[in-house]
Amino acid sequence: MNAPDTSGQQAGLPTIVLVHGAFADSSSWNGVIAHLRRQGYPAIAVANPLRGVQEDAAYARSVVDSIDGPVVMVAHSYGGLVITEAADGAANVKALVYVASISPDVGESVVDLVTKYPGSQLVTSIKMVPFPLPDGGTGMDQYIQQDKFPAVFAADVAPEVAELMAVTQRPATASAQTGSVTKAAWKTIPSWTLISKQDQGIPPDLQRFLADRAGSTVIEVDGSHAVAVSKPGPVADFIDTAARATMR
């Protein structure tokens, strides 16, 4: 794997590593990346495999380890588990930013947390699709039903865009959603949390609980679960705030 190109980095600015969650892909960060690049930040959006917490975290960590200089890791949704595990012990990761995301403690999974508070519409919107495993067994991929995707995931995104997101969504395995983290990087790395107040995927009250527990710096935005798509400017500005706080 080639190291990310950081040739455009302004002096002192960290590289922003963005990790998407389930039912999305790296392009969900496109609007945010455009803002960050105008602000002078180098960035890379990791192609999160969505196969399992430890596997996904190991892949994200390999990207981080390939980068010279400081890094800010940013996560959406399930990606929060990935950066929480991946950033632990990474000396160059200076901040964690959770965007409509989950910041679990050791032993916690997506399923554990989204059932703590009412409001998530994901459970009733999932379609399970079997796929073959290398050992001959069968795994289960989870998709959001396409007709439910706009309301559940992207209610404030332009309808034509939300429909395309539904068609191009990337599934996560059921085991990724039930898998738990073994490390909690937010205990040693400063964190920032952007709460999406109209979120139908991860209840806002859960996001608030997790942010408070982690001691995060918090901002609340009127946005859906796909807030990075619908409100890329505020999301990028919040990442910039976190990044600059690490440079003091």
PDB file of all heavy atoms in Angstrom, residues 8-10 12-16 33 35-44 72 236-237 239-245 247:
ATOM      1  N   GLY A   8       0.825  18.399  -0.151  1.00  0.00           N
ATOM      2  CA  GLY A   8       0.172  19.696  -0.096  1.00  0.00           C
ATOM      3  C   GLY A   8      -0.037  20.220   1.306  1.00  0.00           C
ATOM      4  O   GLY A   8      -0.694  21.229   1.507  1.00  0.00           O
ATOM      5  N   GLN A   9       0.533  19.547   2.279  1.00  0.00           N
ATOM      6  CA  GLN A   9       0.303  19.914   3.665  1.00  0.00           C
ATOM      7  C   GLN A   9       0.934  21.266   3.994  1.00  0.00           C
ATOM      8  O   GLN A   9       2.083  21.530   3.678  1.00  0.00           O
ATOM      9  CB  GLN A   9       0.877  18.837   4.581  1.00  0.00           C
ATOM     10  CG  GLN A   9       0.629  19.096   6.064  1.00  0.00           C
ATOM     11  CD  GLN A   9       1.054  17.907   6.908  1.00  0.00           C
ATOM     12  OE1 GLN A   9       1.492  16.900   6.378  1.00  0.00           O
ATOM     13  NE2 GLN A   9       0.928  18.036   8.197  1.00  0.00           N
ATOM     14  N   GLN A  10       0.133  22.115   4.638  1.00  0.00           N
ATOM     15  CA  GLN A  10       0.684  23.356   5.153  1.00  0.00           C
ATOM     16  C   GLN A  10       1.511  23.046   6.393  1.00  0.00           C
ATOM     17  O   GLN A  10       1.225  22.100   7.129  1.00  0.00           O
ATOM     18  CB  GLN A  10      -0.440  24.331   5.504  1.00  0.00           C
ATOM     19  CG  GLN A  10      -1.099  24.972   4.299  1.00  0.00           C
ATOM     20  CD  GLN A  10      -2.042  26.086   4.701  1.00  0.00           C
ATOM     21  OE1 GLN A  10      -2.121  26.462   5.866  1.00  0.00           O
ATOM     22  NE2 GLN A  10      -2.771  26.604   3.732  1.00  0.00           N
ATOM     23  N   GLY A  12       2.832  22.400   9.751  1.00  0.00           N
ATOM     24  CA  GLY A  12       2.237  22.216  11.067  1.00  0.00           C
ATOM     25  C   GLY A  12       0.855  21.617  11.084  1.00  0.00           C
ATOM     26  O   GLY A  12       0.377  21.215  12.141  1.00  0.00           O
ATOM     27  N   LEU A  13       0.181  21.544   9.946  1.00  0.00           N
ATOM     28  CA  LEU A  13      -1.173  20.996   9.927  1.00  0.00           C
ATOM     29  C   LEU A  13      -1.128  19.477   9.884  1.00  0.00           C
ATOM     30  O   LEU A  13      -0.384  18.893   9.094  1.00  0.00           O
ATOM     31  CB  LEU A  13      -1.962  21.520   8.733  1.00  0.00           C
ATOM     32  CG  LEU A  13      -2.365  22.993   8.757  1.00  0.00           C
ATOM     33  CD1 LEU A  13      -3.179  23.326   7.516  1.00  0.00           C
ATOM     34  CD2 LEU A  13      -3.159  23.331  10.006  1.00  0.00           C
ATOM     35  N   PRO A  14      -1.939  18.811  10.694  1.00  0.00           N
ATOM     36  CA  PRO A  14      -1.952  17.349  10.678  1.00  0.00           C
ATOM     37  C   PRO A  14      -2.675  16.800   9.456  1.00  0.00           C
ATOM     38  O   PRO A  14      -3.458  17.498   8.805  1.00  0.00           O
ATOM     39  CB  PRO A  14      -2.723  17.002  11.955  1.00  0.00           C
ATOM     40  CG  PRO A  14      -3.641  18.171  12.160  1.00  0.00           C
ATOM     41  CD  PRO A  14      -2.857  19.370  11.697  1.00  0.00           C
ATOM     42  N   THR A  15      -2.432  15.546   9.158  1.00  0.00           N
ATOM     43  CA  THR A  15      -3.192  14.837   8.140  1.00  0.00           C
ATOM     44  C   THR A  15      -4.518  14.375   8.742  1.00  0.00           C
ATOM     45  O   THR A  15      -4.546  13.821   9.841  1.00  0.00           O
ATOM     46  CB  THR A  15      -2.410  13.622   7.614  1.00  0.00           C
ATOM     47  OG1 THR A  15      -1.194  14.072   7.022  1.00  0.00           O
ATOM     48  CG2 THR A  15      -3.222  12.849   6.586  1.00  0.00           C
ATOM     49  N   ILE A  16      -5.598  14.588   8.027  1.00  0.00           N
ATOM     50  CA  ILE A  16      -6.915  14.172   8.490  1.00  0.00           C
ATOM     51  C   ILE A  16      -7.233  12.812   7.876  1.00  0.00           C
ATOM     52  O   ILE A  16      -7.291  12.671   6.652  1.00  0.00           O
ATOM     53  CB  ILE A  16      -8.001  15.192   8.096  1.00  0.00           C
ATOM     54  CG1 ILE A  16      -7.576  16.622   8.472  1.00  0.00           C
ATOM     55  CG2 ILE A  16      -9.325  14.813   8.746  1.00  0.00           C
ATOM     56  CD1 ILE A  16      -7.308  16.846   9.945  1.00  0.00           C
ATOM     57  N   ILE A  33     -13.994  16.786   2.641  1.00  0.00           N
ATOM     58  CA  ILE A  33     -12.621  16.828   2.133  1.00  0.00           C
ATOM     59  C   ILE A  33     -12.382  18.095   1.319  1.00  0.00           C
ATOM     60  O   ILE A  33     -11.321  18.732   1.426  1.00  0.00           O
ATOM     61  CB  ILE A  33     -12.321  15.573   1.301  1.00  0.00           C
ATOM     62  CG1 ILE A  33     -12.290  14.338   2.195  1.00  0.00           C
ATOM     63  CG2 ILE A  33     -10.996  15.711   0.552  1.00  0.00           C
ATOM     64  CD1 ILE A  33     -12.302  13.027   1.444  1.00  0.00           C
ATOM     65  N   HIS A  35     -13.713  21.018   1.686  1.00  0.00           N
ATOM     66  CA  HIS A  35     -13.515  22.128   2.641  1.00  0.00           C
ATOM     67  C   HIS A  35     -12.146  22.030   3.309  1.00  0.00           C
ATOM     68  O   HIS A  35     -11.438  23.039   3.447  1.00  0.00           O
ATOM     69  CB  HIS A  35     -14.617  22.110   3.697  1.00  0.00           C
ATOM     70  CG  HIS A  35     -15.933  22.654   3.234  1.00  0.00           C
ATOM     71  ND1 HIS A  35     -16.250  23.999   3.288  1.00  0.00           N
ATOM     72  CD2 HIS A  35     -17.012  22.037   2.721  1.00  0.00           C
ATOM     73  CE1 HIS A  35     -17.465  24.182   2.812  1.00  0.00           C
ATOM     74  NE2 HIS A  35     -17.953  23.009   2.466  1.00  0.00           N
ATOM     75  N   LEU A  36     -11.770  20.826   3.751  1.00  0.00           N
ATOM     76  CA  LEU A  36     -10.489  20.659   4.439  1.00  0.00           C
ATOM     77  C   LEU A  36      -9.312  21.013   3.534  1.00  0.00           C
ATOM     78  O   LEU A  36      -8.347  21.655   3.978  1.00  0.00           O
ATOM     79  CB  LEU A  36     -10.345  19.218   4.925  1.00  0.00           C
ATOM     80  CG  LEU A  36     -11.258  18.797   6.077  1.00  0.00           C
ATOM     81  CD1 LEU A  36     -11.152  17.294   6.311  1.00  0.00           C
ATOM     82  CD2 LEU A  36     -10.914  19.556   7.356  1.00  0.00           C
ATOM     83  N   ARG A  37      -9.394  20.634   2.273  1.00  0.00           N
ATOM     84  CA  ARG A  37      -8.302  20.936   1.346  1.00  0.00           C
ATOM     85  C   ARG A  37      -8.178  22.440   1.121  1.00  0.00           C
ATOM     86  O   ARG A  37      -7.066  22.970   0.993  1.00  0.00           O
ATOM     87  CB  ARG A  37      -8.505  20.192   0.026  1.00  0.00           C
ATOM     88  CG  ARG A  37      -8.259  18.688   0.152  1.00  0.00           C
ATOM     89  CD  ARG A  37      -8.591  17.945  -1.131  1.00  0.00           C
ATOM     90  NE  ARG A  37      -7.689  18.290  -2.203  1.00  0.00           N
ATOM     91  CZ  ARG A  37      -6.505  17.712  -2.412  1.00  0.00           C
ATOM     92  NH1 ARG A  37      -6.086  16.757  -1.605  1.00  0.00           N
ATOM     93  NH2 ARG A  37      -5.746  18.067  -3.424  1.00  0.00           N
ATOM     94  N   ARG A  38      -9.313  23.138   1.084  1.00  0.00           N
ATOM     95  CA  ARG A  38      -9.253  24.597   0.957  1.00  0.00           C
ATOM     96  C   ARG A  38      -8.614  25.233   2.183  1.00  0.00           C
ATOM     97  O   ARG A  38      -8.030  26.334   2.096  1.00  0.00           O
ATOM     98  CB  ARG A  38     -10.658  25.167   0.725  1.00  0.00           C
ATOM     99  CG  ARG A  38     -11.174  24.953  -0.691  1.00  0.00           C
ATOM    100  CD  ARG A  38     -12.380  25.805  -0.990  1.00  0.00           C
ATOM    101  NE  ARG A  38     -13.558  25.378  -0.269  1.00  0.00           N
ATOM    102  CZ  ARG A  38     -14.434  24.484  -0.717  1.00  0.00           C
ATOM    103  NH1 ARG A  38     -14.243  23.904  -1.898  1.00  0.00           N
ATOM    104  NH2 ARG A  38     -15.489  24.162  -0.001  1.00  0.00           N
ATOM    105  N   GLN A  39      -8.712  24.553   3.323  1.00  0.00           N
ATOM    106  CA  GLN A  39      -8.100  25.056   4.549  1.00  0.00           C
ATOM    107  C   GLN A  39      -6.635  24.635   4.677  1.00  0.00           C
ATOM    108  O   GLN A  39      -5.978  24.997   5.652  1.00  0.00           O
ATOM    109  CB  GLN A  39      -8.901  24.560   5.763  1.00  0.00           C
ATOM    110  CG  GLN A  39     -10.303  25.164   5.850  1.00  0.00           C
ATOM    111  CD  GLN A  39     -11.167  24.480   6.894  1.00  0.00           C
ATOM    112  OE1 GLN A  39     -11.091  23.273   7.097  1.00  0.00           O
ATOM    113  NE2 GLN A  39     -11.995  25.242   7.571  1.00  0.00           N
ATOM    114  N   GLY A  40      -6.147  23.873   3.700  1.00  0.00           N
ATOM    115  CA  GLY A  40      -4.741  23.494   3.676  1.00  0.00           C
ATOM    116  C   GLY A  40      -4.415  22.129   4.229  1.00  0.00           C
ATOM    117  O   GLY A  40      -3.239  21.749   4.305  1.00  0.00           O
ATOM    118  N   TYR A  41      -5.434  21.348   4.605  1.00  0.00           N
ATOM    119  CA  TYR A  41      -5.176  20.046   5.205  1.00  0.00           C
ATOM    120  C   TYR A  41      -4.985  18.955   4.158  1.00  0.00           C
ATOM    121  O   TYR A  41      -5.771  18.852   3.217  1.00  0.00           O
ATOM    122  CB  TYR A  41      -6.343  19.621   6.103  1.00  0.00           C
ATOM    123  CG  TYR A  41      -6.468  20.406   7.376  1.00  0.00           C
ATOM    124  CD1 TYR A  41      -7.360  21.474   7.463  1.00  0.00           C
ATOM    125  CD2 TYR A  41      -5.709  20.083   8.492  1.00  0.00           C
ATOM    126  CE1 TYR A  41      -7.479  22.204   8.638  1.00  0.00           C
ATOM    127  CE2 TYR A  41      -5.822  20.801   9.678  1.00  0.00           C
ATOM    128  CZ  TYR A  41      -6.710  21.866   9.740  1.00  0.00           C
ATOM    129  OH  TYR A  41      -6.821  22.577  10.899  1.00  0.00           O
ATOM    130  N   PRO A  42      -3.979  18.099   4.334  1.00  0.00           N
ATOM    131  CA  PRO A  42      -3.951  16.848   3.577  1.00  0.00           C
ATOM    132  C   PRO A  42      -4.963  15.898   4.213  1.00  0.00           C
ATOM    133  O   PRO A  42      -5.205  15.952   5.424  1.00  0.00           O
ATOM    134  CB  PRO A  42      -2.521  16.343   3.778  1.00  0.00           C
ATOM    135  CG  PRO A  42      -2.117  16.903   5.101  1.00  0.00           C
ATOM    136  CD  PRO A  42      -2.831  18.225   5.257  1.00  0.00           C
ATOM    137  N   ALA A  43      -5.574  15.057   3.413  1.00  0.00           N
ATOM    138  CA  ALA A  43      -6.594  14.156   3.947  1.00  0.00           C
ATOM    139  C   ALA A  43      -6.596  12.858   3.177  1.00  0.00           C
ATOM    140  O   ALA A  43      -6.227  12.812   1.994  1.00  0.00           O
ATOM    141  CB  ALA A  43      -7.976  14.813   3.872  1.00  0.00           C
ATOM    142  N   ILE A  44      -7.022  11.803   3.850  1.00  0.00           N
ATOM    143  CA  ILE A  44      -7.251  10.524   3.185  1.00  0.00           C
ATOM    144  C   ILE A  44      -8.490   9.907   3.814  1.00  0.00           C
ATOM    145  O   ILE A  44      -8.650   9.891   5.048  1.00  0.00           O
ATOM    146  CB  ILE A  44      -6.040   9.571   3.305  1.00  0.00           C
ATOM    147  CG1 ILE A  44      -6.349   8.241   2.593  1.00  0.00           C
ATOM    148  CG2 ILE A  44      -5.630   9.343   4.741  1.00  0.00           C
ATOM    149  CD1 ILE A  44      -5.151   7.344   2.419  1.00  0.00           C
ATOM    150  N   VAL A  72      -5.083  13.465  12.701  1.00  0.00           N
ATOM    151  CA  VAL A  72      -6.369  13.546  13.382  1.00  0.00           C
ATOM    152  C   VAL A  72      -7.269  12.496  12.741  1.00  0.00           C
ATOM    153  O   VAL A  72      -7.465  12.504  11.522  1.00  0.00           O
ATOM    154  CB  VAL A  72      -7.005  14.943  13.253  1.00  0.00           C
ATOM    155  CG1 VAL A  72      -8.442  14.945  13.790  1.00  0.00           C
ATOM    156  CG2 VAL A  72      -6.163  15.977  13.998  1.00  0.00           C
ATOM    157  N   ALA A 236     -16.453  20.099   8.580  1.00  0.00           N
ATOM    158  CA  ALA A 236     -15.044  20.420   8.315  1.00  0.00           C
ATOM    159  C   ALA A 236     -14.522  21.471   9.298  1.00  0.00           C
ATOM    160  O   ALA A 236     -13.384  21.365   9.771  1.00  0.00           O
ATOM    161  CB  ALA A 236     -14.875  20.905   6.881  1.00  0.00           C
ATOM    162  N   ASP A 237     -15.338  22.465   9.604  1.00  0.00           N
ATOM    163  CA  ASP A 237     -14.913  23.501  10.554  1.00  0.00           C
ATOM    164  C   ASP A 237     -14.659  22.907  11.938  1.00  0.00           C
ATOM    165  O   ASP A 237     -13.745  23.329  12.650  1.00  0.00           O
ATOM    166  CB  ASP A 237     -15.957  24.603  10.638  1.00  0.00           C
ATOM    167  CG  ASP A 237     -16.003  25.479   9.395  1.00  0.00           C
ATOM    168  OD1 ASP A 237     -15.039  25.425   8.591  1.00  0.00           O
ATOM    169  OD2 ASP A 237     -16.999  26.210   9.216  1.00  0.00           O
ATOM    170  N   ILE A 239     -13.743  19.786  12.540  1.00  0.00           N
ATOM    171  CA  ILE A 239     -12.483  19.040  12.439  1.00  0.00           C
ATOM    172  C   ILE A 239     -11.302  19.998  12.517  1.00  0.00           C
ATOM    173  O   ILE A 239     -10.297  19.730  13.194  1.00  0.00           O
ATOM    174  CB  ILE A 239     -12.452  18.235  11.135  1.00  0.00           C
ATOM    175  CG1 ILE A 239     -13.535  17.147  11.148  1.00  0.00           C
ATOM    176  CG2 ILE A 239     -11.067  17.605  10.916  1.00  0.00           C
ATOM    177  CD1 ILE A 239     -13.757  16.484   9.804  1.00  0.00           C
ATOM    178  N   ASP A 240     -11.420  21.138  11.860  1.00  0.00           N
ATOM    179  CA  ASP A 240     -10.371  22.161  11.907  1.00  0.00           C
ATOM    180  C   ASP A 240     -10.151  22.641  13.345  1.00  0.00           C
ATOM    181  O   ASP A 240      -9.012  22.815  13.780  1.00  0.00           O
ATOM    182  CB  ASP A 240     -10.772  23.333  11.005  1.00  0.00           C
ATOM    183  CG  ASP A 240      -9.818  24.506  11.097  1.00  0.00           C
ATOM    184  OD1 ASP A 240      -8.615  24.328  10.832  1.00  0.00           O
ATOM    185  OD2 ASP A 240     -10.277  25.617  11.455  1.00  0.00           O
ATOM    186  N   THR A 241     -11.237  22.838  14.089  1.00  0.00           N
ATOM    187  CA  THR A 241     -11.123  23.248  15.498  1.00  0.00           C
ATOM    188  C   THR A 241     -10.337  22.219  16.298  1.00  0.00           C
ATOM    189  O   THR A 241      -9.449  22.565  17.085  1.00  0.00           O
ATOM    190  CB  THR A 241     -12.520  23.427  16.108  1.00  0.00           C
ATOM    191  OG1 THR A 241     -13.198  24.478  15.425  1.00  0.00           O
ATOM    192  CG2 THR A 241     -12.428  23.765  17.590  1.00  0.00           C
ATOM    193  N   ALA A 242     -10.674  20.949  16.105  1.00  0.00           N
ATOM    194  CA  ALA A 242      -9.971  19.885  16.823  1.00  0.00           C
ATOM    195  C   ALA A 242      -8.499  19.843  16.431  1.00  0.00           C
ATOM    196  O   ALA A 242      -7.610  19.718  17.281  1.00  0.00           O
ATOM    197  CB  ALA A 242     -10.635  18.544  16.537  1.00  0.00           C
ATOM    198  N   ALA A 243      -8.243  19.948  15.122  1.00  0.00           N
ATOM    199  CA  ALA A 243      -6.859  19.882  14.646  1.00  0.00           C
ATOM    200  C   ALA A 243      -6.016  21.013  15.214  1.00  0.00           C
ATOM    201  O   ALA A 243      -4.874  20.802  15.656  1.00  0.00           O
ATOM    202  CB  ALA A 243      -6.846  19.898  13.121  1.00  0.00           C
ATOM    203  N   ARG A 244      -6.559  22.218  15.196  1.00  0.00           N
ATOM    204  CA  ARG A 244      -5.789  23.378  15.667  1.00  0.00           C
ATOM    205  C   ARG A 244      -5.567  23.321  17.178  1.00  0.00           C
ATOM    206  O   ARG A 244      -4.556  23.825  17.686  1.00  0.00           O
ATOM    207  CB  ARG A 244      -6.481  24.668  15.252  1.00  0.00           C
ATOM    208  CG  ARG A 244      -6.423  24.877  13.753  1.00  0.00           C
ATOM    209  CD  ARG A 244      -6.902  26.235  13.292  1.00  0.00           C
ATOM    210  NE  ARG A 244      -6.841  26.327  11.831  1.00  0.00           N
ATOM    211  CZ  ARG A 244      -5.751  26.584  11.137  1.00  0.00           C
ATOM    212  NH1 ARG A 244      -4.605  26.790  11.779  1.00  0.00           N
ATOM    213  NH2 ARG A 244      -5.789  26.647   9.815  1.00  0.00           N
ATOM    214  N   ALA A 245      -6.501  22.670  17.895  1.00  0.00           N
ATOM    215  CA  ALA A 245      -6.324  22.536  19.342  1.00  0.00           C
ATOM    216  C   ALA A 245      -5.111  21.657  19.670  1.00  0.00           C
ATOM    217  O   ALA A 245      -4.482  21.831  20.722  1.00  0.00           O
ATOM    218  CB  ALA A 245      -7.575  21.941  19.975  1.00  0.00           C
ATOM    219  N   MET A 247      -2.364  21.735  18.097  1.00  0.00           N
ATOM    220  CA  MET A 247      -1.135  22.436  17.701  1.00  0.00           C
ATOM    221  C   MET A 247      -0.722  23.493  18.728  1.00  0.00           C
ATOM    222  O   MET A 247       0.282  24.161  18.546  1.00  0.00           O
ATOM    223  CB  MET A 247      -1.363  23.092  16.342  1.00  0.00           C
ATOM    224  CG  MET A 247      -1.631  22.101  15.216  1.00  0.00           C
ATOM    225  SD  MET A 247      -2.399  22.848  13.757  1.00  0.00           S
ATOM    226  CE  MET A 247      -1.208  24.133  13.360  1.00  0.00           C
TER     227      MET A 247
END
